[in-house]
């Protein structure tokens, strides 16, 4: 082994990939750390915006309407992301000041379904104010949201979080044990299958962020291809809810940091995902039946 050898922070041994010096912090400005997680989300938002604007122009809609949606929707989505997480993890914060916990973004904790619900509410409000069909906005925005999710998910890579249990499959990911934050999501299975490489301890896990990003990207492509052929208003949003619900249900089953629904012991995000998928499937079928009847 070379004298200057440095053990990688993250590796995909079965793919022959390794990454050294994976940063959690992108840059420090005036003593304030800007995290790669935040950078991933911002880049995702920017990419989603440009994808959305491309379709807005192509479909003859007004760019200004969607710029207003972006300015209003992002703060709404951030509130939803954090509020959903705090509410369903309140057992961790019991006895603390709610507002202090809520604004403790730097301590981590965002939940995508909270952001989706809040973004949908923002779209509904803008649709009413601008006198635009709600389904026009949602069908325009759905693929863009998926692109934002694809890019934003890589924040989990930089944070070494949101991973699954032990695996030795082709995409198995090794993370230095001394760089994993917290221990509540480290299972006995992961400890029992600890990997040692040149004296450094690694957890070998399912890279669930990568699974979700990959399948979200495929779903986004499918929606972009199908959108010009949609049968009724709102179909693209429903297909997004259905497809993402299926993806999230299976990806969530692998994760070791599942949020539970109150004190039931049932995984919250799997419940929400399957409910979204079932409700969307019913509405899609109803929409197609209506289309065939009245076309």
């Amino acid at each position: 082994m070379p004298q200057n050898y440095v053990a990688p922070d993250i590796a995909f041994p079965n793919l022959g990939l390794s990454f050294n010096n994976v940063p959690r912090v992108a840059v420090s400005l005036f003593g304030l750390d800007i995290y790669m997680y935040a950078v991933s989300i911002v880049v995702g938002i920017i990419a989603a915006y440009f994808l959305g604007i491309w379709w807005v122009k192509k479909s003859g809609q007004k760019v200004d309407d969607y710029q207003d949606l972006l300015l209003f929707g992002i703060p709404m989505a951030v509130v939803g992301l954090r509020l959903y997480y705090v509410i369903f993890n309140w057992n961790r914060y019991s006895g603390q000041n709610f507002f202090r916990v809520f604004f403790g973004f730097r301590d981590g904790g965002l939940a995508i379904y909270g952001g989706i619900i809040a973004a949908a509410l923002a779209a509904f409000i803008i649709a009413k104010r601008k006198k635009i069909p709600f389904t026009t906005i949602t069908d325009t925005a759905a693929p863009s949201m998926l692109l934002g999710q694809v890019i934003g998910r890589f924040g989990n890579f930089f944070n070494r979080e949101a991973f699954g249990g032990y695996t030795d499959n082709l995409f198995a990911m090794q993370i230095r044990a001394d760089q994993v934050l917290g221990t509540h999501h480290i299972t006995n299975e992961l400890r029992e299958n600890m990997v040692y490489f040149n004296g450094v301890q690694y957890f070998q896990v399912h890279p669930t962020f990568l699974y979700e990003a990959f399948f979200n990207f495929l779903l986004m492509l499918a929606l972009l291809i199908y959108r010009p052929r949609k049968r009724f208003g709102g179909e693209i949003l429903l297909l997004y809810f259905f497809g993402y619900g299926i993806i999230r249900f299976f990806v969530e089953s692998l994760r070791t940091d599942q949020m539970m629904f109150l004190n039931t012991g049932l995984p919250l995000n799997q419940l929400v995902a399957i409910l979204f998928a079932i409700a969307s499937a019913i509405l899609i079928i109803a929409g197609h039946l209506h289309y065939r009847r009245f076309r």
Side-chain angles (χ1 to χ4, degrees):
M1 182 175 64
Q3 192 171 12
N4 61 350
Y5 172 81
V6 177
D9 294 338
I10 300 173
F12 294 82
N14 298 331
L15 294 174
L17 299 173
S18 61
F19 300 89
N20 296 325
N21 303 315
V22 178
R24 276 199 177 90
V25 177
V27 64
S28 293
L29 297 174
F30 307 107
L32 179 67
D33 290 337
I34 308 299
Y35 287 90
M36 287 299 300
Y37 188 97
V39 172
S40 299
I41 291 175
V42 171
V43 171
I45 290 171
I46 294 170
Y49 170 77
F50 282 109
L51 178 61
I53 291 303
W54 164 76
W55 180 253
V56 168
K57 292 179 178 179
K58 185 178 177 65
S59 58
Q61 301 180 67
K62 294 180 180 179
V63 172
D64 289 351
D65 292 338
Y66 287 86
Q67 289 176 338
D68 290 346
L69 174 61
L70 186 72
L71 292 174
F72 180 60
I74 288 177
M76 286 277 290
V78 170
V79 170
L81 286 163
R82 183 61 176 171
L83 188 61
Y84 185 102
Y85 180 87
V86 170
I87 289 174
F88 289 104
N89 284 278
W90 189 246
N91 58 315
R92 295 186 193 176
Y93 306 113
S94 183
Q96 300 183 47
N97 181 275
F98 175 83
F99 292 101
R100 182 175 298 174
V101 169
F102 177 81
F103 288 104
F105 288 92
R106 296 176 64 80
D107 297 328
L110 301 174
I112 186 62
Y113 270 116
I116 291 172
I117 293 168
L121 178 59
F124 180 79
I125 293 171
I126 290 295
K128 288 294 185 183
R129 290 185 58 188
K130 301 284 186 177
K131 295 181 171 54
I132 307 169
F134 173 66
T135 55
T136 299
I137 292 180
T138 57
D139 286 353
T140 297
S144 300
M145 288 184 64
L146 278 168
L147 180 59
Q149 289 174 241
V150 168
I151 297 172
R153 267 297 166 203
F154 281 85
N156 298 140
F157 171 80
F158 292 104
N159 264 7
R160 291 83 155 162
E161 65 182 3
F163 47 76
Y166 172 80
T167 185
D168 194 31
N169 72 12
L170 179 63
F171 300 100
M173 179 174 69
Q174 294 177 348
I175 309 173
R176 284 184 57 146
D178 60 348
Q179 294 184 359
V180 175
L181 298 178
T183 59
H184 69 277
H185 53 293
I186 303 301
T187 63
N188 290 333
E189 179 192 36
L190 288 176
R191 291 190 175 92
E192 291 167 0
N193 289 281
M194 188 86 74
V195 176
Y196 295 84
F197 184 69
N198 291 325
V200 179
Q201 295 179 323
Y202 290 84
F203 294 118
Q204 186 163 304
V205 302
H206 281 286
T208 51
F209 82 91
L210 185 61
Y211 299 163
E212 185 171 328
F214 174 73
F215 287 110
N216 279 352
F217 183 74
L218 293 183
L219 178 59
M220 179 197 72
L221 291 179
L223 294 186
L224 289 174
I225 293 169
Y226 180 71
R227 182 164 55 185
R229 303 166 179 82
K230 69 177 185 176
R231 297 293 184 264
F232 59 91
E235 185 179 8
I236 302 303
L237 176 68
L238 292 173
L239 287 170
Y240 163 58
F241 283 157
F242 174 76
Y244 182 62
I246 297 298
I247 292 167
R248 189 58 187 266
F249 180 84
F250 286 106
V251 170
E252 193 73 19
S253 69
L254 299 173
R255 287 178 54 165
T256 62
D257 61 343
Q258 292 182 339
M259 288 193 294
M260 298 301 166
F261 179 55
L262 302 177
N263 295 317
T264 64
L266 298 173
L268 172 65
N269 286 330
Q270 280 189 292
L271 287 173
V272 174
I274 203 63
L275 287 174
F276 265 69
I278 291 171
S280 298
I282 292 171
L283 292 173
I284 290 168
I285 292 170
H288 275 262
L289 291 174
H290 186 270
Y291 170 81
R292 290 176 183 175
R293 183 179 177 183
F294 294 101
R295 66 176 177 175

